[in-house]
Amino acid sequence: MFVIEEELKKLPASPGVYIMHGSNDEIIYIGKAISLKNRVRQYFQISRKRTAKINKMVSQVSRFEYIVTDSELEALILECNLIKEHKPKYNTMLKDDKAYPFIKVTVNEPFPRIIFARQMKKDGAKYFGPYPSAGAVKNTIELVSKLYKTRTCSRNLPKDINKQRPCLNYQIKQCDAPCMGYISQKEYGENIKKALDFLNGKYEHVIKMLEEKMYKASDEMRFEDAAAYRDLIKSVNETSKRQKITKDESMDRDIIAYAMEGNDAVVQVFFVRNGKVLGREHFHIELAPLATGREVMTNFIKQYYGGSPFIPKELLIQEEIDDLELVEKWLSIKRGSKVVVKNPQKGDKEKLVELAARNARIVLEQDIDKLRSEERKTRGAIAEIDGLLGLDYTKRIEAFDISNTNGFDSVGSMVVYEDGKPKRSDYRKFKIKTVTGPDDYASMREVLTRRFRHGLEEIEELKETSNGKEYSSFTRFPDLIMMDGGRGQVNIALSVLEEFGINIPVCGMVKDDHHRTRGLYFENQEIPIDTHSEGFRLITRIQDEAHRFAITFHKDLRSKKQVHSILDDIEGIGEARRNALLREFNSIEDIKNASVTRLKNVDSMNERAAQKVYDFFH
């Protein structure tokens, strides 16, 4: 038994991460400390003044665990990873998990390419961005290709020169075809230098050059060419307008501000690269109970930059954050040079932050109805179900279903909902191994036994192995199990849980004669539900999803068996050759009657494979 007062005495005076668990052993809060002994004990000191949020969280703690690290910086990194993994109730969470693209110039190659990149790597290439959207990157690459005729292909040059015909980009005059030797490495390098200047925001000479070409083409009555140059000038001007210049023309910085209302918050970020505003993006924040603006800003920076491949030189923020020096040190290590986090109080920088805050407020006001509607359908629906069943807080729901055809190819499905939303990465499929015939109860017993045995085994492994190992979907036990059926299915689940000594509430989703959900079976009684409520709609979605997932898996297994061909029994004939033979011939009989020479001429076949097919039928 976990006695908090006794466990507090065992805490080490070391840096690390502490993990608070609720009454159903769910993780409700994760934090870091320079001294675990001092920090964790503070939560449980009655004489100490605590915020309303801390009081509410501490009242729900049933136990805690901790992971010791070598430094506070390591604790910060581990804290970020664990919060992202477990999404605890009392940690303010970034809802969006966006990855921003880059323009990559492979200057380390003899004939550099200008290409789209999702990640920034230390590979000798030059990167520009991140850009606010994939469309912005693709449009810029297309414009640069038109201006400087640079290649975007993956051919290995100069090794592959003259080995293949030039691609379509050469035909439409968007590449000078270095792959054919039509341009020297030196001339191509000059074009790349101009392209790099353009990507660095030097547009004036480009516009001047295009205007000269446009007027010359017009004078020579080459009006189609003149129109093309005119369109390029328009594209360059539009790009120039989008990249608004700030006073410091060499600075990479992000400008971050937020707006809050009730349980909703939006963080707005302006991306400034080389002194130009490339774009902006907003992020919806899932607020912990009684969260403050300082918490919003602190948690956003930790979670967003923990997963970002690019760290700017400076962050301008609306409000001071916790652990400022530590966060700056962490960001500086990630960037590879010093990063400064500032909360400007006056001047142009303060105005930029205020502009971001106004934009955050506008986005929040525009999205507030949508956010609240989503809240009603998810957390609101969960609260309704908790009220019906008398539960405190249901974060994770698992639902199970069985599918078969007259008892053959029986399969089970496990679907997972967290905070009222499907968590598809945790879905699991089960092939029934121990049951013969159409016995849904026995099949469900096997599925649940395998699911919880696997989870308990992994939990034991985690206790014995190194700290910080990631949990799988099986180690996270649900707060509520929903069975696709009534008393019988519920009793099966309860008996399996009893065998393992696990205490989890189980309810059945009871259907009427028309196979529609009519109520919940819980603790030996059927509980009616308002069929117009969000709770009822969520239950229906969960039930339909469990059924869909099981049916889909069952159909996949059946289809794989149905496509089995006699050709699969021939040694050396795999899926590719089998499909090639079936495309070439009208029937198995035609394949049987074909000569070795005829078989050999089929795509992907060779003489040896053709001989094996011929010998098999003869």
Side-chain angles (χ1 to χ4, degrees):
M1 182 178 177
F2 192 93
V3 180
I4 288 178
E5 291 76 13
E6 293 299 318
E7 296 300 324
L8 288 173
K9 298 174 184 177
K10 303 175 186 177
L11 285 163
S14 307
V17 172
Y18 54 91
I19 303 168
M20 302 292 192
H21 290 260
S23 57
N24 293 320
D25 209 38
E26 77 280 15
I27 294 174
I28 61 174
Y29 186 75
I30 295 171
K32 61 131 190 72
I34 192 168
S35 170
L36 287 166
K37 182 177 181 178
N38 294 340
R39 185 73 184 96
V40 178
R41 289 172 69 178
Q42 287 174 0
Y43 286 100
F44 301 96
Q45 290 173 351
I46 298 174
S47 60
R48 189 174 184 85
K49 288 185 178 181
R50 302 182 304 203
T51 65
K53 172 191 172 182
I54 296 299
N55 281 329
K56 189 171 183 180
M57 185 269 287
V58 170
S59 70
Q60 298 179 25
V61 174
S62 63
R63 72 178 182 93
F64 60 80
E65 58 180 315
Y66 55 88
I67 301 170
V68 174
T69 61
D70 290 333
S71 67
E72 192 181 6
L73 181 60
E74 284 187 17
L76 173 66
I77 295 168
L78 180 58
E79 177 198 33
C80 292
N81 291 337
L82 290 176
I83 288 174
K84 185 175 182 180
E85 176 74 15
H86 296 289
K87 300 179 174 60
K89 175 183 178 182
Y90 284 96
N91 287 98
T92 293
M93 292 299 304
L94 172 64
K95 287 185 179 181
D96 310 271
D97 190 14
K98 301 172 183 175
Y100 293 95
F102 296 80
I103 293 175
K104 177 178 178 179
V105 185
T106 59
V107 293
N108 50 328
E109 296 177 348
F111 289 88
R113 296 170 292 145
I114 299 178
I115 56 177
F116 181 99
R118 277 287 177 195
Q119 291 183 324
M120 187 177 181
K121 300 177 181 178
K122 293 182 178 179
D123 55 6
K126 277 188 176 292
Y127 288 85
F128 295 85
Y131 284 78
S133 71
V137 171
K138 291 172 182 175
N139 290 340
T140 303
I141 291 174
E142 184 179 356
L143 177 57
V144 171
S145 296
K146 287 178 179 177
L147 290 170
Y148 302 108
K149 310 294 190 291
T150 55
R151 74 187 186 103
T152 57
C153 66
S154 57
R155 295 183 188 180
N156 186 1
L157 303 182
K159 182 182 176 182
D160 291 341
I161 287 178
N162 282 320
K163 286 192 176 180
Q164 296 181 42
R165 289 181 298 176
C167 65
L168 180 62
N169 281 350
Y170 171 72
Q171 308 295 339
I172 61 175
K173 299 181 180 180
Q174 277 189 215
C175 180
D176 280 333
C179 59
M180 300 300 295
Y182 294 164
I183 183 172
S184 70
Q185 185 173 339
K186 183 179 179 181
E187 289 176 303
Y188 187 85
E190 289 299 320
N191 287 343
I192 288 293
K193 286 181 183 178
K194 293 175 183 177
L196 289 172
D197 284 344
F198 179 83
L199 291 171
N200 278 314
K202 298 176 181 177
Y203 305 119
E204 295 79 7
H205 75 282
V206 179
I207 293 173
K208 184 178 179 181
M209 176 265 292
L210 291 173
E211 286 177 343
E212 288 174 356
K213 289 186 176 183
M214 179 181 69
Y215 292 134
K216 183 179 179 182
S218 179
D219 291 342
E220 295 174 357
M221 302 186 71
R222 292 183 288 112
F223 299 118
E224 190 174 332
D225 290 341
Y229 290 127
R230 178 202 62 203
D231 293 341
L232 283 175
I233 292 169
K234 184 179 178 182
S235 296
V236 172
N237 281 326
E238 287 175 354
T239 300
S240 176
K241 288 176 184 175
R242 282 199 301 270
Q243 297 187 343
K244 176 184 174 183
I245 297 177
T246 62
K247 282 193 174 181
D248 188 341
E249 295 191 11
S250 62
M251 177 65 77
D252 286 343
R253 66 161 59 104
D254 286 353
I255 302 158
I256 310 168
Y258 67 90
M260 297 171 60
E261 185 172 325
N263 296 323
D264 302 309
V266 166
V267 172
Q268 180 83 50
V269 183
F270 286 168
F271 303 106
V272 179
R273 301 294 177 260
N274 292 314
K276 302 165 188 67
V277 179
L278 287 186
R280 63 182 183 176
E281 187 59 85
H282 67 269
F283 302 83
H284 291 291
I285 302 294
E286 187 175 326
L287 293 180
L290 306 173
T292 64
R294 188 183 184 101
E295 286 180 59
V296 169
M297 193 61 52
T298 302
N299 284 282
F300 174 80
I301 289 173
K302 288 180 181 180
Q303 292 172 37
Y304 176 69
Y305 293 103
S308 173
F310 181 83
I311 309 295
K313 187 175 181 179
E314 183 178 79
L315 303 184
L316 299 182
I317 59 175
Q318 181 181 2
E319 191 163 337
E320 289 284 359
I321 62 171
D322 297 327
D323 306 311
L324 174 62
E325 290 183 8
L326 184 65
V327 170
E328 284 184 330
K329 182 179 179 181
W330 168 57
L331 294 173
S332 298
I333 291 171
K334 282 180 68 73
R335 176 180 169 84
S337 61
K338 186 171 178 59
V339 174
V340 178
V341 181
K342 294 181 180 177
N343 171 223
Q345 300 297 312
K346 60 182 180 179
D348 291 331
K349 291 183 177 181
E350 191 275 335
K351 290 177 182 176
L352 286 170
V353 173
E354 177 57 32
L355 179 63
R358 289 205 303 270
N359 277 270
R361 171 57 56 185
I362 290 168
V363 171
L364 182 60
E365 289 173 353
Q366 289 173 341
D367 290 356
I368 197 80
D369 290 339
K370 183 172 69 174
L371 290 169
R372 287 176 178 169
S373 174
E374 179 71 13
E375 181 77 9
R376 286 194 300 272
K377 292 176 182 177
T378 54
R379 289 180 179 273
I382 291 291
E384 287 180 18
I385 295 169
D386 283 346
L388 286 169
L389 304 181
L391 303 177
D392 291 330
Y393 173 68
T394 299
K395 180 177 179 64
R396 182 182 174 99
I397 295 174
E398 291 181 4
F400 299 83
D401 196 12
I402 301 294
S403 179
N404 61 63
T405 302
N406 297 323
F408 293 100
D409 295 329
S410 290
V411 299
S413 69
M414 169 182 132
V415 300
V416 179
Y417 276 63
E418 286 193 357
D419 294 321
K421 301 175 186 176
K423 190 177 183 184
R424 292 184 174 84
S425 60
D426 281 7
Y427 285 17
R428 291 296 180 265
K429 304 169 183 174
F430 301 84
K431 282 186 183 179
I432 304 302
K433 300 176 180 178
T434 63
V435 181
T436 304
D439 190 337
D440 284 357
Y441 286 172
S443 297
M444 185 60 75
R445 179 179 293 279
E446 179 189 325
V447 167
L448 292 169
T449 300
R450 286 165 56 187
R451 183 263 177 271
F452 288 105
R453 179 187 291 131
H454 193 160
L456 290 170
E457 288 172 353
E458 284 197 5
I459 290 171
E460 286 303 312
E461 286 177 19
L462 288 168
K463 290 178 181 177
E464 295 170 4
T465 55
S466 61
N467 288 332
K469 181 180 176 182
E470 285 193 2
Y471 290 67
S472 81
S473 63
F474 281 138
T475 57
R476 299 189 198 90
F477 284 4
D479 303 306
L480 176 65
I481 295 172
M482 286 191 167
M483 306 299 296
D484 187 42
R487 182 197 300 266
Q489 293 281 19
V490 169
N491 288 338
I492 290 292
L494 290 172
S495 66
V496 170
L497 294 173
E498 187 177 1
E499 288 172 15
F500 288 113
I502 301 170
N503 182 26
I504 299 173
V506 181
C507 71
M509 297 176 281
V510 185
K511 299 171 186 174
D512 60 21
D513 294 338
H514 301 287
H515 211 68
R516 294 175 301 200
T517 303
R518 72 178 186 219
L520 294 176
Y521 182 81
F522 184 65
E523 294 184 342
N524 295 317
Q525 60 178 324
E526 186 175 322
I527 302 171
I529 310 176
D530 177 4
T531 56
H532 300 291
S533 68
E534 292 295 349
F536 175 81
R537 294 187 182 100
L538 177 59
I539 291 166
T540 303
R541 288 197 297 273
I542 293 171
Q543 190 172 41
D544 290 345
E545 182 69 351
H547 190 58
R548 179 203 65 78
F549 195 54
I551 288 288
T552 301
F553 182 38
H554 183 242
K555 285 180 177 178
D556 288 345
L557 288 180
R558 280 182 16 222
S559 64
K560 285 178 181 177
K561 288 190 175 184
Q562 288 168 356
V563 299
H564 180 82
S565 163
I566 192 172
L567 299 177
D568 294 321
D569 298 328
I570 305 174
E571 183 185 352
I573 302 301
E575 183 179 356
R577 283 175 172 164
R578 179 196 70 195
N579 292 340
L581 287 167
L582 292 173
R583 282 195 301 269
E584 185 71 21
F585 296 95
N586 292 324
S587 65
I588 295 294
E589 190 66 25
D590 288 346
I591 297 172
K592 181 179 178 180
N593 295 329
S595 65
V596 172
T597 302
R598 177 78 175 87
L599 292 167
K600 184 178 68 174
N601 291 330
V602 175
D603 286 345
S604 79
M605 294 288 286
N606 56 32
E607 187 164 357
R608 185 181 177 189
Q611 189 65 53
K612 284 186 176 293
V613 173
Y614 184 85
D615 292 345
F616 180 83
F617 286 113
H618 295 85

